[in-house]
């Protein structure tokens, strides 16, 4: 009997460790990747903003592709964060920033990848100095619409795998058309209140999703991840529009400032 009890306890301990690793290891991985990219004193001399300022051209081209976050849905002034950011970049560099906003409401990663592979943005990619990408939220929403949150949890790994395949293919296409373009990916954020019955589920799953975005960015030179979760979270619900999902004008402005902050801080070296 004692052996049986010890065996059961051992199994429970192993199971608890496995669950903890499944839930919390992605958060640790993200933190480690952020720390790896912290600039040394020598590297800090040239940031991304410095790089754009020093480019031998008067006009910088900013291409933005993806979903409703790129399009600016939810903003009272009909401007997205890429509009706000482009204006801030103009102020910082003294150059004109030509924004080409190709955000499409409701698009998922598979459909965006299909457009990219068909060459829908080839000419824009070739001339872009900066390319911002946000996609993936509708992948989850479409799965949620097919059932309840249990459906999302049950199919999470498969859904995430499809998303990363699409994001990697999109990035490969960009680098094929324009190896020198800087790419900014967006984290997926949790817009729910802490007392929402699905808040903890979302908070546990999103790091597993976001870590794959960081791993993708890590594979390519001049690619970074915008830390949207620092801006939009349960502590900053004032940044959400009335639908409780998309940012409002203040939220988009806050995202643009976060993007500028990161590009002023990140060293312009290889994969960051």
């Amino acid at each position: 009997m004692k052996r049986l009890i010890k065996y059961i306890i051992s199994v429970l301990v192993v199971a608890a460790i496995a669950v903890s690793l499944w839930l919390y290891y992605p958060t640790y991985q993200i933190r480690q990747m952020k720390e790896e990219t912290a600039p040394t004193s020598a590297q800090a001399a040239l940031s991304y903003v410095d790089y754009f300022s020093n480019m031998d051209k008067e006009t910088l081209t900013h291409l933005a592709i993806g979903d409703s976050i790129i399009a600016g849905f939810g903003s009272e002034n009909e401007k997205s964060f890429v509009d706000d950011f482009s204006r801030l970049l103009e102020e910082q560099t003294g150059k004109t920033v030509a924004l080409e906003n190709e955000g499409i409401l409701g698009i998922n990663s598979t459909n965006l990848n299909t457009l990219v592979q068909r060459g829908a943005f080839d000419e824009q990619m070739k001339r872009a100095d900066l390319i911002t990408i946000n996609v993936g939220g509708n992948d989850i929403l479409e799965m949620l619409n097919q059932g309840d949150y249990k459906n999302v949890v049950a199919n999470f790994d498969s859904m995430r795998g499809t998303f990363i395949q699409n994001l990697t293919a999109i990035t490969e296409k960009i680098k094929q058309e324009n190896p020198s373009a800087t790419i900014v990916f967006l984290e997926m954020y949790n817009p729910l209140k802490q007392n929402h019955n699905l808040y903890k589920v979302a908070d546990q799953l999103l790091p597993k999703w976001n870590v794959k975005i960081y791993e993708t960015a890590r594979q390519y030179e001049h690619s970074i991840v915008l830390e949207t979760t620092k801006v939009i979270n349960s502590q900053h619900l004032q940044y959400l529009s009335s639908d409780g999902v998309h940012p409002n004008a203040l939220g988009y402005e806050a995202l643009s400032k976060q993007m500028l902050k990161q590009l002023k801080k990140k060293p312009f070296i290889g994969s960051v």
Side-chain angles (χ1 to χ4, degrees), residues 125-188:
M125 288 177 179
K126 289 174 183 176
R127 62 175 176 262
D129 302 295
L130 171 65
I131 300 176
T132 301
I133 305 172
N134 186 72
V135 73
N138 291 311
D139 296 45
I140 294 177
L141 289 176
E142 288 173 4
M143 182 66 67
L144 188 61
N145 290 336
Q146 294 176 21
D148 56 20
Y149 78 93
K150 294 179 182 178
N151 191 44
V152 172
V153 173
N155 293 282
F156 183 81
D157 288 340
S158 174
M159 179 174 54
R160 184 185 59 172
T162 298
F163 163 72
I164 290 304
Q165 287 178 0
N166 289 325
L167 190 65
T168 300
I170 289 168
T171 309
E172 286 283 352
K173 178 67 170 178
I174 290 172
K175 288 301 183 180
Q176 175 186 325
E177 298 296 332
N178 187 348
S180 64
T182 294
I183 302 176
V184 176
F185 304 93
L186 272 68
E187 289 180 331
M188 188 176 296

Side-chain angles (χ1 to χ4, degrees), residues 197-223:
N197 63 335
L198 296 182
Y199 174 82
K200 288 186 178 180
V201 174
D203 209 45
Q204 291 170 348
L205 291 180
L206 285 178
K208 291 174 63 62
W209 188 278
N210 285 333
V211 71
K212 294 300 182 180
I213 299 175
Y214 277 90
E215 289 174 353
T216 301
R218 197 182 189 189
Q219 296 176 40
Y220 301 93
E221 289 193 340
H222 312 145
S223 300

Side-chain angles (χ1 to χ4, degrees), residues 47 49-50 52-53 60 85-95 97 260-261 264:
S47 69
V49 171
D50 294 329
F52 290 130
S53 298
L60 304 172
F85 171 78
S86 296
R87 175 182 54 79
L88 292 176
L89 189 61
E90 284 187 335
E91 294 173 358
Q92 290 290 315
T93 62
K95 299 178 183 293
V97 177
L260 180 66
K261 178 181 178 180
K264 289 176 71 175

Side-chain angles (χ1 to χ4, degrees), residues 242-257:
S242 58
D243 68 9
V245 176
H246 295 87
N248 55 22
L250 285 177
Y252 284 123
E253 182 180 356
L255 285 174
S256 70
K257 290 179 179 178

